[in-house]
Amino acid sequence: MTMKVRASSLVRVLLLGTVLLAGCASDAIRREGVGLIEEGHYEEGLARLEEAVRQDPRNTQAQIALTTQRAEVVTKLLTQADQARNLRDYPTAHAGYQRVLAIEPNNFRAGEELRRIEQLRNLAEMHQQGQAALRRGDLIGAQQQMNAINALEPQNPGALELQRGIETVRARTAVPYPQLRSKLDQPVTLEFRDASLKMIFEVLAETAGLNFIFDKDLRPDLKATIFVRQVAIEDAVALLLQQNQLHQKVVNDNTIFIYPDTPQKLKDYQDLVVRTFYLTNTDANTALNMVKGILKTRDVFVDERLNTLTMRDTADAVRMAEKLFMAHDQSDPEVVLEVEVMEISRQRILDLGLQWPNTFGVVNADGGAVSILSQLRGINSDRISIAPSPQLRINAQDNDINTLASPVIRVSNRQQARIHIGQRVPIVSATSVPSTQGPVITESITYLDVGLKLEVQPTVHLNNEVAINVALEVSNATPLEATRQGTIPVQIDTRNAVTTLRLHDGETQVLAGLVRNDHGATGNKIPGLGDIPGIGRLFGSNKDTIGKSELVLSITPRIIRNLPYQSPYDLEFFSGTEGSMRVRAANMRAASAAGVELTVDTPATPLATAPVAEPLLLSWIGPRELGAGEEAIIVLQAQTGQPLRSSTLQVAYDPATLQVLEILEGDLLQHDSAPTSFSPRLDESTGTLFAAQSRATSRGATGEGSLLRLRVRALQASRDSMPVRLVNFSALGQANQLLSAALPASPIFTVRP
C-alpha cells in the first residue's frame, strides 16, 4: 500500500513538473514571437505565438498576446497597403493585401481592396459607358459612372472628361428649348420713359435680330419705363415681360411669342414635356412626395414594380426634378463592424482537511450493527469497529476559461444588426385548472435566449465618423430544484452594457471593466475541535472557492461606402419665383427698378462690352521649415475682383510625414459679416481633405482673404519636401456662374530632426 501511494505521488510530481516546464517553454516562445513582430517579421512572430498557444492552450497570456498582436499586425499591413494604393503602386498594394489575407483569411477590408484593384482594369469600359449615357442625354447615368471612376481612382482623366461633358449638357439644358440663336448674352443699355411696349420690342428686334410675335389679346396701349445699363438682352426682355405681366414662348431659334400671363393662356401656349426617371436608391413614392411638395407637379405617375417616376410638366420643372433626384438618389452608406468579445474567467478551488462523518455506528466483524447494551456486556472489542472512518481531502483546482467571439457585421446606415451566440433554454411552466375529477395540469414551454447577445445600430456621418448604439449582454442559465407541481425554475445570471460611441473610420474602442468577483468558503468540521487554530484541519475540512471573470468588448468600424461629396452647384440652383418657375436666374450686372420716371427719353444706345473682372488668384502661405513634432498654420489665400459666393476644394498631403489637426474656415466669404456654411471632411488614411464654403446671401465677396486654414503637425524628419497640393478647386460667382482659377504651386517645407 505504501509503495502504491509513493508511486502515485511520484507520477503527480512528474505531471506537475511537465506542466510547469510546458508553461515556461510557452512563455519563452511568446516573448520570442512578440520580439519578432516588433522587428517587423510579422508572419514569423505570429507563427511563434500560435505555437505557444498550441503547446499550452490554457495559457491566457499567450492567447491574449496572439489576439492583440494579430490585430496590430493586420492594422499596420493595411495602412502600408493603403499608402501604396494611394501612390498608385498597385503591385505593392496587392502584395500587402495578400499578406493580410494570409494572416486573416476572412478579412473583409483586404478582400474588398483586392477586388478594387482588379476593378481598376475596368476603368476604360466604365468611361465608355459614361460617354454612351451622356450621348443619350442620361445625365444621372453619366454622373454615376463618373462617381464610380472617381471612387476607384481620383482625378482620373476619363472622369474629368465626363465631368466637363456633364457640365456642358447642364449649361445647354439651362436655356429653354428650343434655344435662341441670337446675341442675347451681349450687354445693352436701354433708356425709355413711358414708351410703347411694342416700340421697345421693335428696337430689341433690330438690335438682337429676333422676331417678336404678340398674342391677339395683348393690349396695344401698354407702355413701359425702363432704365438699364449694360444688361444682357435676354435679361432686358425678362424685365419688360415681368413689368407688364406677360409671358414668352420660344417658337424657334430666332422667334419669341409674347402673350398675357394668365392661367388660360398658360394652358394654351406653355409647352409640357414628359420624362421618366429610373430611381435606384430612392423609393418612388418618396420621390413622388418630393416632386409634389417642391415643384407642385400634379401629373405624376409611379410604377412600384420598376421603381420609376413619370412626370408631365414644363421643361424647367423637369430639369429641376432631375437636379433633385441627382442630389437625393444616393446609395445608403454601409459600414463593416469588426467586433471582438472576450471573456476571461479564473477560478481557484482549495479543499483541504479531514472530512468526518455526520453519524457514528458500531459494527461487528460480519458487518452487522451492534447495540450499546451488547457492548456493555463484554463483547470482544477485537471484533468490532467504528464505521465509517474519516476521509482525508487534499484537492486544489485551477480553471482558466478564455471565451472569444469575433463576428464581422456589415450594416447599412441607421439599420440594426443582431448577433446571438449561445442557446435557447426551454422554460417549463405548469398551469393547474380544477375540475370534478381532480386538477388538470397543463404544461407550456417557452424559450429564453442565453449566451452572447450583441445589438448594434450605426449612423455614418459625412466626415467619416460613425456613431454606434451598442447593447451587449452575456448570460447563462442554471436550473434549480423542481417545485411541487414539477415546474423547473431557471436562474439567469447576466451582465450587460448599453452605450453610444462615435468613432472615426478605422478607430478601435475597447470597452472593459465588466468584472465579477466571487469568493465562497464552506466547511465540514467537528464543532469546537475544528475551530482550534493550527490543528483545526485535523477535525474538519474547509473548501475555498475564488472566481473572477472580466468581459472585454472591442469594436472597429470600417466605412465601405459613404455619401459622395457634392458641390454647391448640385445642391443649390435657381428655381424662379412662386408664380413663374425658371431654371436659370437673370444675370444682371446693374438694373434699376421698373416704373421709375426718368427725364432721359432716347432710343437704345449702341451695344457696349462690359469690362472684364479681375481673375481669381490662389496662393499658399506657410512656414519654410518645421521640426518633428512642431505645429504650424498653412493658409490658402485668395484674391478676387469678381463676386465669390461659394467654393469647393480638395487638398492632398502625405499622411506619413504630416498630420492635419484642425480644418478652419477662411475669412474671405465672411466679408461684411455675412453668414456662411462650412463643411470640411478629412480622410487621414489617404491624406485627402475636402472643404466646401458658401455665403447665405445672394451677394458675393470680393477682395483678398483666406479660403482655408490648416493646423498641421510634422510627424517625422524628412530630407524631402512635403508638398501640400491643391488638386481640385471650383468656385461659383453671381447667378451660379463658374469662376476660373489656376491651381497654386505647392508650399515647399521640410522637417528637421
Side-chain angles (χ1 to χ4, degrees):
M1 181 66 181
T2 303
M3 294 299 295
K4 291 182 179 180
V5 171
R6 290 181 178 177
S8 177
S9 301
L10 181 60
V11 170
R12 292 179 181 178
V13 170
L14 291 176
L15 290 176
L16 180 60
T18 303
V19 171
L20 293 176
L21 290 176
C24 295
S26 64
D27 289 338
I29 296 175
R30 174 179 59 82
R31 290 190 294 269
E32 181 184 355
V34 173
L36 288 173
I37 292 175
E38 292 177 352
E39 295 174 0
H41 305 290
Y42 299 143
E43 288 80 2
E44 294 85 347
L46 291 176
R48 298 297 292 170
L49 290 178
E50 292 176 355
E51 182 179 354
V53 173
R54 285 195 302 268
Q55 288 190 3
D56 190 2
R58 298 178 58 186
N59 192 329
T60 306
Q61 293 183 352
Q63 293 180 355
I64 295 177
L66 176 60
T67 302
T68 56
Q69 292 294 330
R70 182 190 288 119
E72 292 180 1
V73 167
V74 168
T75 302
K76 291 179 181 178
L77 291 178
L78 287 176
T79 302
Q80 296 173 3
D82 290 342
Q83 293 177 354
R85 181 204 61 200
N86 296 331
L87 297 175
R88 298 186 180 181
D89 186 2
Y90 298 126
T92 303
H94 189 276
Y97 294 128
Q98 288 285 6
R99 291 179 66 184
V100 173
L101 290 178
I103 297 173
E104 285 188 358
N106 296 327
N107 190 283
F108 181 82
R109 184 181 174 190
E112 286 294 320
E113 293 297 339
L114 284 178
R115 284 189 289 271
R116 181 179 178 183
I117 293 177
E118 294 296 332
Q119 289 175 356
L120 290 174
R121 304 175 182 176
N122 302 327
L123 291 180
E125 182 180 355
M126 297 168 64
H127 177 256
Q128 293 177 359
Q129 293 178 359
Q131 291 287 359
L134 195 59
R135 288 192 296 269
R136 294 195 306 267
D138 183 10
L139 294 183
I140 296 180
Q143 182 78 31
Q144 291 175 348
Q145 294 295 334
M146 184 191 72
N147 293 337
I149 295 176
N150 281 330
L152 294 175
E153 186 179 9
Q155 299 301 312
N156 181 272
L160 296 177
E161 181 182 356
L162 279 177
Q163 183 178 4
R164 289 191 295 267
I166 292 172
E167 292 177 354
T168 302
V169 173
R170 285 176 177 170
R172 217 172 38 240
T173 55
V175 181
Y177 182 85
Q179 300 180 18
L180 292 172
R181 186 188 62 192
S182 62
K183 303 176 182 179
L184 291 179
D185 56 347
Q186 294 189 8
V188 64
T189 298
L190 299 178
E191 296 179 357
F192 291 97
R193 176 180 177 272
D194 289 335
S196 173
L197 182 63
K198 290 186 177 181
M199 185 190 70
I200 299 176
F201 277 115
E202 289 177 2
V203 174
L204 290 175
E206 293 177 0
T207 304
L210 294 176
N211 300 322
F212 291 98
I213 302 176
F214 301 95
D215 184 80
K216 62 182 180 61
D217 296 331
L218 190 67
R219 291 166 47 196
D221 58 343
L222 289 177
K223 296 183 180 298
T225 298
I226 184 172
F227 175 32
V228 292
R229 294 181 181 274
Q230 299 300 314
V231 173
I233 297 177
E234 182 180 6
D235 298 333
V237 172
L239 285 173
L240 291 171
L241 296 178
Q242 185 178 6
Q243 179 186 4
N244 295 274
Q245 289 79 44
L246 301 177
H247 208 278
Q248 68 176 1
K249 175 182 178 181
V250 179
V251 179
N252 52 36
D253 56 359
N254 65 343
T255 304
I256 296 178
F257 181 74
I258 298 177
Y259 58 91
D261 190 1
T262 61
Q264 184 59 42
K265 293 297 182 179
L266 289 175
K267 290 182 180 180
D268 295 338
Y269 296 122
Q270 195 172 44
D271 292 330
L272 303 178
V273 296
V274 177
R275 173 72 182 274
T276 299
F277 295 95
Y278 286 85
L279 304 174
T280 304
N281 303 290
T282 303
D283 183 68
N285 291 316
T286 303
L288 171 66
N289 297 331
M290 180 175 62
V291 169
K292 285 186 175 182
I294 297 179
L295 304 180
K296 311 301 180 184
T297 302
R298 293 176 299 178
D299 300 333
V300 189
F301 174 76
V302 167
D303 188 347
E304 296 183 356
R305 182 179 62 89
L306 298 177
N307 198 38
T308 60
L309 181 143
T310 303
M311 60 180 296
R312 182 175 184 264
D313 210 327
T314 63
D316 289 335
V318 172
R319 298 295 180 268
M320 293 180 196
E322 182 180 11
K323 290 179 178 292
L324 289 174
F325 293 151
M326 187 174 296
H328 288 83
D329 192 24
Q330 304 291 342
S331 58
D332 290 336
E334 285 189 309
V335 61
V336 169
L337 300 178
E338 300 175 357
V339 183
E340 290 187 356
V341 182
M342 181 180 298
E343 184 178 11
I344 304 173
S345 300
R346 300 181 180 90
Q347 189 178 37
R348 302 290 184 266
I349 301 176
L350 178 62
D351 190 1
L352 181 63
L354 290 173
Q355 183 176 357
W356 291 85
N358 296 328
T359 59
F360 292 90
V362 180
V363 296
N364 55 23
D366 299 333
V370 180
S371 64
I372 300 299
L373 295 177
S374 60
Q375 296 182 29
L376 296 177
R377 292 173 182 173
I379 297 179
N380 187 3
S381 59
D382 295 336
R383 301 187 58 187
I384 63 174
S385 63
I386 300 175
S389 60
Q391 298 179 357
L392 178 62
R393 300 181 64 87
I394 303 177
N395 186 16
Q397 297 181 8
D398 293 340
N399 298 324
D400 292 337
I401 302 174
N402 186 0
T403 304
L404 180 64
S406 301
V408 177
I409 320 168
R410 182 166 180 169
V411 196
S412 296
N413 189 33
R414 300 181 185 275
Q415 299 296 321
Q416 192 178 54
R418 296 184 178 90
I419 291 179
H420 176 219
I421 304 175
Q423 298 176 341
R424 303 193 68 192
V425 178
I427 306 298
V428 181
S429 59
T431 304
S432 178
V433 179
S435 65
T436 57
Q437 298 180 356
V440 178
I441 299 176
T442 304
E443 292 184 349
S444 60
I445 299 177
T446 58
Y447 291 90
L448 179 65
D449 294 334
V450 296
L452 172 64
K453 291 190 290 185
L454 178 65
E455 295 183 0
V456 292
Q457 184 177 2
T459 301
V460 183
H461 298 277
L462 287 178
N463 59 350
N464 283 347
E465 289 187 351
V466 183
I468 312 172
N469 296 330
V470 183
L472 174 66
E473 179 180 339
V474 177
S475 59
N476 56 72
T478 304
L480 302 179
E481 296 182 359
T483 62
R484 295 180 179 180
Q485 290 76 18
T487 302
I488 301 177
V490 178
Q491 176 182 338
I492 304 297
D493 298 330
T494 179
R495 283 175 292 169
N496 52 60
V498 179
T499 185
T500 300
L501 307 174
R502 184 156 181 166
L503 305 175
H504 196 272
D505 181 23
E507 183 181 359
T508 302
Q509 178 63 47
V510 178
L511 302 178
L514 296 177
V515 181
R516 176 178 175 178
N517 292 317
D518 297 327
H519 187 188
T522 59
N524 186 359
K525 53 191 176 181
I526 298 176
L529 298 179
D531 297 330
I532 300 176
I535 62 173
R537 294 279 184 178
L538 299 177
F539 301 97
S541 63
N542 294 326
K543 182 178 181 181
D544 296 331
T545 303
I546 301 175
K548 181 179 180 180
S549 62
E550 181 178 3
L551 191 63
V552 180
L553 170 66
S554 171
I555 184 167
T556 305
R558 308 283 186 185
I559 297 179
I560 301 300
R561 179 175 56 246
N562 202 347
L563 289 176
Y565 177 78
Q566 299 186 22
S567 65
Y569 177 83
D570 298 323
L571 301 178
E572 179 182 352
F573 54 88
F574 182 77
S575 62
T577 63
E578 183 71 20
S580 177
M581 187 177 298
R582 294 182 58 193
V583 173
R584 189 181 60 175
N587 182 19
M588 297 178 293
R589 298 179 183 86
S592 63
V596 179
E597 295 185 1
L598 301 176
T599 58
V600 180
D601 188 4
T602 59
T605 59
L607 298 176
T609 304
V612 179
E614 297 180 1
L616 182 61
L617 301 178
L618 301 175
S619 61
W620 285 102
I621 299 177
R624 292 293 183 182
E625 189 180 44
L626 281 178
E630 291 184 357
E631 299 183 6
I633 299 293
I634 302 176
V635 181
L636 178 62
Q637 197 76 1
Q639 181 179 1
T640 176
Q642 308 178 54
L644 178 63
R645 289 194 57 205
S646 63
S647 67
T648 59
L649 54 90
Q650 178 182 357
V651 178
Y653 66 95
D654 185 7
T657 54
L658 194 67
Q659 179 184 7
V660 176
L661 302 177
E662 190 175 7
I663 305 175
L664 303 174
E665 181 181 5
D667 57 0
L668 177 59
L669 295 185
Q670 296 177 347
H671 183 64
D672 299 334
S673 300
T676 61
S677 63
F678 183 65
S679 301
R681 181 161 62 92
L682 177 64
D683 189 351
E684 296 180 350
S685 61
T686 61
T688 306
L689 66 89
F690 303 87
Q693 185 182 13
S694 61
R695 289 168 61 95
T697 60
S698 59
R699 296 180 54 188
T702 57
E704 185 177 0
S706 60
L707 291 177
L708 182 70
R709 300 173 67 245
L710 301 178
R711 187 167 66 90
V712 300
R713 175 189 295 159
L715 298 179
Q716 58 184 358
S718 174
R719 296 181 179 178
D720 301 330
S721 60
M722 298 187 308
V724 177
R725 297 181 294 110
L726 181 64
V727 297
N728 192 9
F729 179 81
S730 62
L732 296 179
Q734 296 295 120
N736 289 339
Q737 284 192 342
L738 290 174
L739 303 181
S740 60
L743 299 181
S746 302
I748 304 300
F749 57 93
T750 57
V751 177
R752 63 179 183 273

